[in-house]
Amino acid sequence: MKTTTLQYKLIMAATGLFLCFFLVIHLLGNLQLLLPAARAQEQFNWYSHLLSGNILIKIISWVLYLSLISHAVYALLITRKSKKANASSYYYDKRKVSSPWSSRNMGILGTIILIFLVIHFKDFWYVYMFTDLPLDAAGNKDLYTIVIATYDQLWYVLVYEVSFLALGFHLLHGFFSASRTFGLYHPKYVKAVKVFGWIYTLLITLGFMAIPLYIHFIK
């Protein structure tokens, strides 16, 4: 069982780190939405067209989809194994004494993120790939206008903000967990790992949270 759990954790860590890398690229692309309207529309639509038409990007996209599915499936498997082990080893749970809130509620955080991903893929990826969007002046599908219209709805912005907060807690716990799995959470490196994890998590979380807020209240 220990060997199987370790294998599951290695897969979780590897897919999680790939998703962390993807989030950096995704955020950099989405920051184009903060540019002045005309320039943002041109660049964001060009960027979206590039992502949908490049064969290398398509391969990376399929790796992304597989990583998302694998990450979720193995998270469920690890949780199931942990519950069975805890049920047979402990009379009551003292984890809240020593573990952070995020590590004890990864199931809730993961569920929020999963719901967010379903909404996100439905409203942007599916619309872009499988519907006839109007074209911009350069002849690219005008996803920019869809994004702006979406973030004009306050309830939608609130859903996204809650989801990004959940993502932040998930990232922080996941980053430290992955570093332990790969043996990087060593006393010699633990301070650097913690600092890097916090900086990465704050930049990604606040970066994504800022975009819908800026579009709704300022742009």
Side-chain angles (χ1 to χ4, degrees):
M1 176 179 173
K2 289 184 178 179
T3 302
T4 304
T5 302
L6 178 59
Q7 291 172 344
Y8 288 176
K9 287 184 176 180
L10 285 171
I11 295 173
M12 279 280 292
T15 55
L17 290 177
F18 175 79
L19 294 172
C20 284
F21 170 74
F22 168 78
L23 285 173
V24 174
I25 304 302
H26 193 44
L27 176 59
L28 291 175
N30 284 3
L31 287 176
Q32 296 174 103
L33 294 167
L34 304 182
L35 295 171
R39 186 179 174 191
Q41 182 180 30
E42 179 183 358
Q43 288 194 196
F44 186 74
N45 288 340
W46 173 85
Y47 167 75
S48 301
H49 176 73
L50 175 67
L51 294 183
S52 65
N54 186 290
I55 184 62
L56 178 61
I57 300 298
K58 284 186 177 181
I59 293 173
I60 295 174
S61 296
W62 283 109
V63 175
L64 169 66
Y65 306 147
L66 181 60
S67 295
L68 284 169
I69 294 170
S70 299
H71 198 74
V73 168
Y74 281 98
L76 291 173
L77 291 174
I78 291 173
T79 300
R80 185 178 178 184
K81 282 182 172 292
S82 297
K83 284 184 176 180
K84 285 185 177 180
N86 290 336
S88 60
S89 302
Y90 302 102
Y91 289 103
Y92 74 101
D93 193 351
K94 291 185 178 181
R95 286 176 300 169
K96 62 182 178 181
V97 176
S98 58
S99 61
W101 178 88
S102 59
S103 66
R104 289 180 281 109
N105 292 276
M106 288 296 280
I108 296 174
L109 297 174
T111 300
I112 294 173
I113 295 168
L114 181 60
I115 293 171
F116 161 74
L117 287 173
V118 171
I119 296 172
H120 189 69
F121 275 92
K122 177 184 73 72
D123 291 337
F124 298 126
W125 178 80
Y126 178 83
V127 168
Y128 187 87
M129 298 297 294
F130 300 105
T131 64
D132 294 324
L133 290 178
L135 305 180
D136 64 11
N140 295 317
K141 288 186 176 182
D142 193 8
L143 183 62
Y144 172 83
T145 299
I146 300 297
V147 173
I148 298 301
T150 299
Y151 290 141
D152 275 343
Q153 304 173 73
L154 181 59
W155 72 269
Y156 218 107
V157 173
L158 293 176
V159 168
Y160 268 53
E161 295 305 300
V162 171
S163 300
F164 292 139
L165 281 174
L167 176 64
F169 284 113
H170 189 87
L171 283 174
L172 193 62
H173 171 77
F175 186 87
F176 295 149
S177 180
S179 66
R180 290 188 182 94
T181 300
F182 288 128
L184 301 176
Y185 212 73
H186 187 276
K188 187 176 180 180
Y189 312 111
V190 65
K191 185 176 181 180
V193 170
K194 283 186 175 181
V195 170
F196 182 83
W198 272 101
I199 292 175
Y200 171 85
T201 299
L202 287 173
L203 288 176
I204 292 296
T205 304
L206 296 178
F208 276 113
M209 290 182 73
I211 294 171
L213 291 174
Y214 177 83
I215 291 173
H216 183 84
F217 291 106
I218 300 176
K219 197 162 188 177

